[in-house]
Amino acid sequence: MYYLECEAGIAGDMMVAALLDMGADEKKLTDVLGSLPLDGYEIRISRVKKAGIDACDFNVILDADHENHDHDMNYLHGDIKTHSHEHDHEHEHEHEHEHNHHEDPHEHHHDHDHGSHEHGHHHRHEHRHLKDVYAIIDAGKMSDRARDLAKRIFMIVAEAEAKAHALPVDEVHFHEVGAVDSIVDIVAAAVCLDDLNIDSLIVPYLAEGEGTVRCAHGILPIPVPAVQHITQTYAIPLKYIGVKGEFVTPTGAAIVAALRSGEALPEVYTIKRCGYGAGKRNYERASLVRLYELQDDTERTILDEDKDLIWRLESDIDDSTGESLGYLMQALYEAGAREVHYTPIQMKKNRPGMELVVICKEDTRLKLEEIIFAESTTIGIRRVQMQRSILPRRMEKLTTKYGELAVKTVTLPDGRVRSYPEYDDIIRIAREKGVAVSEVWAEAVKNID
């Protein structure tokens, strides 16, 4: 599982940097970006220090025709009349919500330049529609999963911008998300997420500042409308940190919205690896986003003195078909439920019905409740948090004459052990070898003994 810490907000370039620091393939990323029909930029991947912490920096360097001065703190938060770019950018400046944490003048960079991307003529401040952005993504040489994720992130931003401007999605001109560095950041994030096989994130909240920021449409309050609509639509909590400045960008919020699956860490966990992504603006707190890969160790707890907390969700259903209940069970398991079962009951007015019981962890509870409401006719869910005692367990490999399969071994309080073949492996081998399930099971048990 993966945990994203956003104590200094989130932007597209910060997320890409954290993914690269985690181990995403840099060459694969630059090859994909080089295949996009975009010009006027180059990529720089380097190491920087933020508050003394070593971090990866992903920088999209724009040429003069595409530069938006988004890292210029005086422009974004100062008086435009005193800004040296007043005549060039008073009407055309586009606030690209991507590189939103100004570079620390004391940072030490170790660069990996990947050259300019000059695929055609420059067009100053392109205003693209969603279909234009999708065409650029479709032209890139990337996996289908990365392509679909990039489009999903763009759609989340597009829907937020459409709501902010009261326009249909296909009529919105994307000043921010249609710009070169925005497209590069979103595609880069999708490619790196796909490379690391990350399809969900635990994100408790997004830290956000206060005040105003200068955008393409003028001076707007923080959070900007697109961030407001994304976090509202996807129920992402914002944490007020009492610092002036924009910490959460629409692209950063959209990446979180596309992947957020929960908000609570496991009760017990081990950190397997970590990635630090640097931002560009210089605020009162270090502009870093931190991405963890975690191992949930909660199930290692045992006996009464060790607490393992779960949720029990219950709902009584009396007017759903057997087919719909079967689909609901499948959907709940796919979304992370630990156990799902039905019990026949007699309800009010002696109507026959089914009681649905779901066992889950905190990080999947909200998602499972959403599925129950969406896929059944129930109008209420009861829930209670419970403790359980579980035995220590480990997974092992067992070699049989039919092939290799997994075995789960548990240790009893008195030290004895019990082992059980994994049912899914038994079924898989039986199908592959064309033999009865009972034969594979008997062979596995014989080898365990």
Side-chain angles (χ1 to χ4, degrees):
M1 67 175 59
Y2 294 86
Y3 173 76
L4 184 64
E5 180 186 84
C6 302
E7 292 292 346
I10 178 73
D13 61 335
M14 297 170 74
M15 186 66 186
V16 176
L19 291 163
L20 288 168
D21 200 36
M22 179 79 82
D25 190 324
E26 183 177 321
K27 184 179 185 305
K28 179 186 293 185
L29 171 61
T30 55
D31 286 348
V32 171
L33 295 180
S35 71
L36 298 176
L38 283 175
D39 62 1
Y41 77 98
E42 63 182 71
I43 297 300
R44 178 173 296 163
I45 299 170
S46 63
R47 307 299 304 182
V48 301
K49 291 189 183 298
K50 292 286 184 177
I53 303 300
D54 179 67
C56 179
D57 180 71
F58 176 77
N59 198 3
V60 182
I61 303 171
L62 303 175
D63 65 15
D65 285 343
H66 296 83
E67 176 57 52
N68 52 55
H69 301 283
D70 186 57
H71 303 168
D72 191 322
M73 301 296 286
N74 184 58
Y75 185 85
L76 294 175
H77 301 291
D79 184 353
I80 190 172
K81 294 181 180 179
T82 65
H83 193 267
S84 60
H85 297 279
E86 176 184 356
H87 300 294
D88 291 338
H89 300 280
E90 184 172 359
H91 302 293
E92 285 294 322
H93 176 77
E94 297 188 4
H95 174 51
E96 303 304 332
H97 295 285
E98 299 307 321
H99 307 286
N100 69 329
H101 296 253
H102 190 66
E103 291 185 9
D104 188 330
H106 302 293
E107 289 174 359
H108 301 287
H109 293 261
H110 303 282
D111 299 337
H112 302 279
D113 265 329
H114 294 281
S116 298
H117 296 256
E118 303 290 347
H119 298 291
H121 300 291
H122 299 323
H123 301 285
R124 185 177 180 81
H125 301 301
E126 292 96 335
H127 294 177
R128 296 180 173 91
H129 289 88
L130 183 62
K131 66 178 182 180
D132 301 318
V133 176
Y134 276 12
I136 292 171
I137 297 173
D138 285 335
K141 297 178 181 179
M142 67 191 84
S143 71
D144 289 341
R145 186 168 70 163
R147 194 186 320 278
D148 291 343
L149 178 57
K151 288 183 176 181
R152 172 163 167 71
I153 295 170
F154 269 108
M155 177 57 75
I156 291 171
V157 180
E159 291 172 343
E161 294 286 358
K163 187 176 294 185
H165 299 296
L167 291 171
V169 170
D170 57 0
E171 292 183 15
V172 174
H173 288 276
F174 292 110
H175 299 283
E176 285 85 6
V177 81
V180 170
D181 53 347
S182 304
I183 294 173
V184 172
D185 282 347
I186 290 177
V187 170
V191 170
C192 290
L193 286 162
D194 175 56
D195 183 58
L196 293 174
N197 198 31
I198 299 175
D199 56 13
S200 64
L201 293 170
I202 297 172
V203 187
Y205 54 79
L206 305 179
E208 180 61 296
E210 63 176 348
T212 60
V213 66
R214 199 180 306 278
C215 301
H217 299 286
I219 297 175
L220 296 176
I222 296 169
V224 296
V227 169
Q228 172 219 316
H229 288 305
I230 292 171
T231 55
Q232 178 182 343
T233 300
Y234 291 88
I236 303 171
L238 291 173
K239 178 183 178 181
Y240 172 64
I241 56 175
V243 179
K244 290 188 179 297
E246 179 197 33
F247 285 77
V248 180
T249 70
T251 296
I255 291 171
V256 171
L259 294 165
R260 184 171 181 261
S261 61
E263 58 186 25
L265 283 166
E267 184 180 359
V268 182
Y269 62 87
T270 301
I271 298 174
K272 299 178 68 176
R273 55 180 172 169
C274 181
Y276 285 81
K280 305 296 187 296
R281 294 183 194 167
N282 186 25
Y283 289 125
E284 295 178 24
R285 56 175 62 191
S287 56
L288 289 170
V289 67
R290 185 158 54 172
L291 177 64
Y292 297 96
E293 182 182 5
L294 305 178
Q295 176 177 300
D296 186 349
D297 293 332
T298 305
E299 290 190 351
R300 293 185 180 182
T301 57
I302 184 175
L303 304 179
D304 293 340
E305 65 268 25
D306 295 321
K307 297 178 180 179
D308 182 54
L309 298 179
I310 58 171
W311 284 95
R312 178 186 172 98
L313 311 180
E314 298 178 355
S315 186
D316 297 339
I317 305 170
D318 68 347
D319 51 0
S320 291
T321 66
E323 290 82 359
S324 62
L325 293 177
Y327 175 78
L328 173 59
M329 174 180 281
Q330 177 184 346
L332 291 169
Y333 273 124
E334 290 175 351
R338 297 296 182 92
E339 297 289 345
V340 182
H341 63 258
Y342 295 105
T343 303
I345 57 173
Q346 291 298 120
M347 300 177 62
K348 289 182 294 186
K349 301 180 182 179
N350 289 323
R351 297 193 308 271
M354 302 294 286
E355 180 187 53
L356 168 66
V357 175
V358 179
I359 304 298
C360 66
K361 302 292 288 184
E362 171 63 25
D363 62 348
T364 58
R365 179 179 62 81
L366 290 177
K367 180 63 177 177
L368 296 177
E369 288 188 356
E370 291 176 4
I371 293 173
I372 294 171
F373 280 126
E375 300 295 346
S376 76
T377 56
T378 191
I379 59 174
I381 299 172
R382 302 180 297 273
R383 64 174 177 265
V384 60
Q385 196 169 45
M386 308 174 72
Q387 295 182 8
R388 62 175 181 169
S389 296
I390 60 175
L391 297 172
R393 65 196 66 184
R394 65 182 184 274
M395 298 302 297
E396 300 175 328
K397 291 295 185 181
L398 178 69
T399 300
T400 73
K401 69 179 184 181
Y402 295 116
E404 190 176 72
L405 53 82
V407 173
K408 180 184 295 182
T409 299
V410 299
T411 303
L412 300 172
D414 62 5
R416 290 179 297 150
V417 297
R418 292 175 182 166
S419 298
Y420 310 88
E422 276 294 291
Y423 176 75
D424 289 342
D425 279 2
I426 294 290
I427 297 299
R428 173 182 57 81
I429 291 176
R431 289 174 175 170
E432 290 176 354
K433 302 299 183 180
V435 297
V437 169
S438 59
E439 293 183 24
V440 181
W441 183 273
E443 176 67 16
V445 171
K446 181 178 70 175
N447 279 272
I448 290 174
D449 294 338

